[in-house]
Amino acid sequence: MNQYILSIDAGTTSSRALIFDKSGNEIAKSQNEFKQYFPKEGWVEHDPLEIWSSQKEALQNVLKAQTISTHEIIGIGITNQRETTIVWNKETGKPIYNAIVWQDRRTSEFCAELKSKGYEPLVNSKTGLLLDPYFSGTKINWILENIAGAKQKAKEGKLLFGTVDTWLIWNLSGGKKHITDPSNASRTMLFDIHKNCWDSELLALLDIPENMLPQIVESASNEAEAQLEGWERPIPIYAIAGDQQAALFGQLCFSPGDVKNTYGTGCFCMMHTGKTPVISNNKMLTTIAWQMNGEVEYALEGSVFIGGALIQWLRDGIELIKNASDIEALATSVNDNGGVTFIPALTGLGAPYWDANATGGIMGLTRGTKKGHIARAALEAIAIRSMEIIVEMQKDSGIQFTNLKVDGGACKNNLLMQIQANLLNTKVIRPKTTETTALGIAFMAGLSCGFWKNKDTIKKLWEEEKTFDPVTSDTNSALIALWNSRIQKILSSESK
Ligand code: ADP
């Protein structure tokens, strides 16, 4: 009988199920997109029942696609979009409101109010996060304050809260298990990452009853089983982790200083920092990477809001290119950027600038400027923004890393990866499997149930597709110097 691990990758725009064999090869995949709701400016919602039905369908289809039986699936790993908040009725299993998605900014004013009252240092010292609507805490508060009768029901223990991992496990287990892992809990703004437990002071601050919260279990542990119609047997769940943490695991970033950068819509950079949390002096987030074998491991995280989205804008916004992949040929049609700098502040600038009001700019235009120069400057911009985050992380952690592992849609761009290697003066390594998040949670589940023996076994399965060695030259420092002087011109006055 063949043996496999099944990954649930519950993303922001789609529900996916993937099957991996013992060699770490993806042998089947099923994916269903679900609807995004934008009820008001800055609000983003999902229908939790649609998250569940699309995920269930993906799970059923992925087995059918290769006629694999549930007896051949040794275990399941679940990874998910983080922070997204769902509250449901414990008895009926019905959500009392839509899922409020991580991107949703409706609680900005409440966060600003809490900041003005001086609560950010408390939040930061306990959770490693900043006081921001991004995280689940103020989203739960909003649901309890705004849905009729919710507060009272929550106090009476009739409501449950969960991020998407918790919601799916609750449904997969037929309402038996209400659990989450520390990597997801550490994104709620309610979790003390030092003590590895829910924090009563933060719960009181946000007026959230503790009885709504899921029980914390290790990221790699067997606390629940999944049973669906048509399955011959329930399949044990062996791992739970947030998507960026799963990608960190999938990139084998197990030691302090190991870093991965995901080049998707935005760029998410995460650095493993070992068994003690590193508190950032540069507004990076400190977060739990995972808990395995009783040990909690930590990571630093920085995000660049506009990564591949800059290429999307060149394609859809000004129609400079037809396909995202055309950018590379256009950028290599010239030898350099021709003096052009592209500041990609299309939605403000995050770390280390944190300037929400900054707007973008293409600077240094002359009569000699060609489309290719703009394309090249755009790729340089993505690499420079990632470099800025990585440099801050190195300062925070005092760790000098030796290579950068990459994934995400835009990492296919060879020129971008070469520019990144040059700017960081480090090797950039692109793996063969680009489904790093799903592979990461499969690795974690497989280690947890003995499908793979130990980390050394999975290290042998991870294959490099291409390494970009840095080429140091004066051009790199000139590029950075020009960037530094030009970005000053677009920062809004309050952040200078
Ligand atoms: P997400 O998971 O955030 O939806 P993906 O990892 O699927 O993103 O990557 C898609 C992003 O990558 C898009 O923003 C797209 O513009 C960008 N992209 C895709 N191919 C390339 C390429 N060859 N060069 C640069 N950017 C690219």
Side-chain angles (χ1 to χ4, degrees):
M1 192 172 73
N2 293 317
Q3 293 190 319
Y4 305 104
I5 295 286
L6 173 54
S7 288
I8 292 178
D9 184 356
T12 306
T13 56
S14 71
S15 299
R16 298 137 67 87
L18 297 94
I19 295 178
F20 293 94
D21 68 11
K22 211 151 191 160
S23 306
N25 296 317
E26 175 194 313
I27 61 152
K29 175 157 101 179
S30 176
Q31 177 167 6
N32 292 314
E33 285 202 10
F34 52 79
K35 199 164 172 207
Q36 311 287 312
Y37 296 90
F38 306 104
K40 284 189 190 175
E41 177 77 30
W43 291 29
V44 188
E45 296 181 0
H46 296 153
D47 175 354
L49 295 174
E50 200 188 342
I51 293 181
W52 166 231
S53 60
S54 58
Q55 189 64 65
K56 193 161 67 167
E57 197 183 307
L59 282 165
Q60 285 165 328
N61 288 344
V62 80
L63 289 177
K64 278 190 213 143
Q66 299 288 330
T67 48
I68 291 170
S69 108
T70 49
H71 295 287
E72 294 171 291
I73 305 287
I74 302 303
I76 293 178
I78 298 190
T79 181
N80 54 290
Q81 54 161 321
R82 305 169 303 170
E83 298 99 9
T84 296
T85 298
I86 305 173
V87 176
W88 67 95
N89 182 305
K90 198 177 183 173
E91 274 141 37
T92 64
K94 294 259 161 32
I96 64 160
Y97 188 73
N98 266 349
I100 304 186
V101 179
W102 57 274
Q103 297 145 320
D104 191 291
R105 311 295 297 172
R106 79 185 63 188
T107 59
S108 305
E109 262 178 44
F110 183 39
C111 288
E113 184 192 322
L114 292 172
K115 256 193 218 173
S116 73
K117 290 183 180 159
Y119 285 113
E120 189 158 62
L122 176 82
V123 167
N124 185 249
S125 66
K126 287 176 185 255
T127 68
L129 308 174
L130 300 169
L131 223 172
D132 194 274
Y134 182 14
F135 309 109
S136 319
T138 58
K139 297 181 198 291
I140 306 175
N141 170 281
W142 188 93
I143 293 177
L144 298 186
E145 293 294 333
N146 288 279
I147 304 306
K151 214 166 178 175
Q152 187 54 32
K153 283 204 187 98
K155 284 200 177 114
E156 292 164 6
K158 293 183 177 156
L159 299 183
L160 299 177
F161 152 74
T163 40
V164 172
D165 54 320
T166 305
W167 169 244
L168 290 176
I169 295 169
W170 195 82
N171 280 290
L172 286 164
S173 67
K176 285 201 200 90
K177 293 288 174 174
H178 184 229
I179 57 176
T180 191
D181 88 302
S183 75
N184 276 295
S186 71
R187 315 296 298 188
T188 58
M189 224 178 78
L190 303 171
F191 194 71
D192 186 325
I193 60 168
H194 310 277
K195 297 184 184 150
N196 202 29
C197 62
W198 299 117
D199 185 83
S200 51
E201 200 178 354
L202 294 174
L203 286 166
L205 179 67
L206 298 178
D207 204 9
I208 298 171
E210 187 161 356
N211 60 17
M212 298 179 73
L213 304 184
Q215 181 200 344
I216 307 292
V217 301
E218 290 208 3
S219 313
S221 58
N222 173 216
E223 299 287 342
E225 288 186 327
Q227 174 73 69
L228 291 181
E229 301 99 75
W231 281 12
E232 305 91 338
R233 68 160 199 140
I235 308 177
I237 297 169
Y238 282 111
I240 314 165
D243 53 6
Q244 296 306 320
Q245 286 93 332
L248 190 71
F249 203 84
Q251 292 277 30
L252 310 181
C253 293
F254 302 145
S255 308
D258 288 349
V259 199
K260 67 92 195 169
N261 197 21
T262 300
Y263 299 79
T265 307
C267 294
F268 288 89
C269 187
M270 207 176 235
M271 178 193 274
H272 189 281
T273 60
K275 294 192 174 126
T276 34
V278 172
I279 300 301
S280 173
N281 295 316
N282 301 296
K283 298 209 164 182
M284 299 289 146
L285 307 174
T286 307
T287 206
I288 291 181
W290 45 73
Q291 183 183 12
M292 294 178 78
N293 306 317
E295 300 251 39
V296 176
E297 295 176 40
Y298 295 88
L300 268 177
E301 180 175 323
S303 31
V304 172
F305 305 143
I306 300 288
L310 191 60
I311 309 305
Q312 258 168 4
W313 179 78
L314 289 175
R315 185 192 62 190
D316 307 335
I318 60 166
E319 298 177 16
L320 184 78
I321 45 172
K322 230 170 151 220
N323 302 302
S325 55
D326 299 341
I327 197 77
E328 190 168 352
L330 191 56
T332 40
S333 67
V334 291
N335 294 326
D336 54 34
N337 63 20
V340 177
T341 305
F342 200 146
I343 308 290
L346 307 189
T347 53
L349 281 171
Y353 304 99
W354 294 102
D355 185 344
N357 299 318
T359 50
I362 304 176
M363 297 164 179
L365 301 177
T366 66
R367 287 197 66 173
T369 303
K370 296 197 159 54
K371 281 190 213 171
H373 295 127
I374 293 175
R376 198 168 187 107
L379 294 181
E380 287 171 351
I382 298 173
I384 293 175
R385 289 292 292 125
S386 290
M387 176 197 75
E388 289 180 325
I389 296 279
I390 291 165
V391 166
E392 297 301 326
M393 280 188 176
Q394 285 184 321
K395 277 196 220 152
D396 276 336
S397 63
I399 298 169
Q400 209 60 30
F401 59 84
T402 52
N403 63 58
L404 178 72
K405 306 245 185 82
V406 295
D407 50 61
C411 89
K412 287 183 222 120
N413 189 311
N414 290 329
L415 179 60
L416 172 61
M417 295 301 105
Q418 187 59 55
I419 296 170
Q420 192 72 83
N422 297 353
L423 286 171
L424 289 168
N425 194 22
T426 193
K427 276 183 200 299
V428 165
I429 304 175
R430 186 167 63 196
K432 212 169 131 196
T433 305
T434 47
E435 294 285 1
T436 319
T437 306
L439 182 66
I441 203 66
F443 279 164
M444 207 183 275
L447 281 179
S448 163
C449 67
F451 183 68
W452 289 298
K453 199 165 156 232
N454 52 34
K455 285 183 181 162
D456 286 337
T457 323
I458 57 174
K459 279 183 187 164
K460 289 187 194 121
L461 305 179
W462 191 93
E463 280 184 74
E464 183 178 311
E465 186 255 324
K466 193 169 164 63
T467 291
F468 299 84
D469 288 310
V471 180
T472 40
S473 76
D474 294 344
T475 329
N476 294 334
S477 32
L479 182 63
I480 296 167
L482 199 57
W483 167 277
N484 285 338
S485 71
R486 285 183 172 160
I487 200 162
Q488 289 305 320
K489 299 201 171 77
I490 64 100
L491 293 175
S492 62
S493 49
E494 64 266 30
S495 74
K496 281 192 188 167

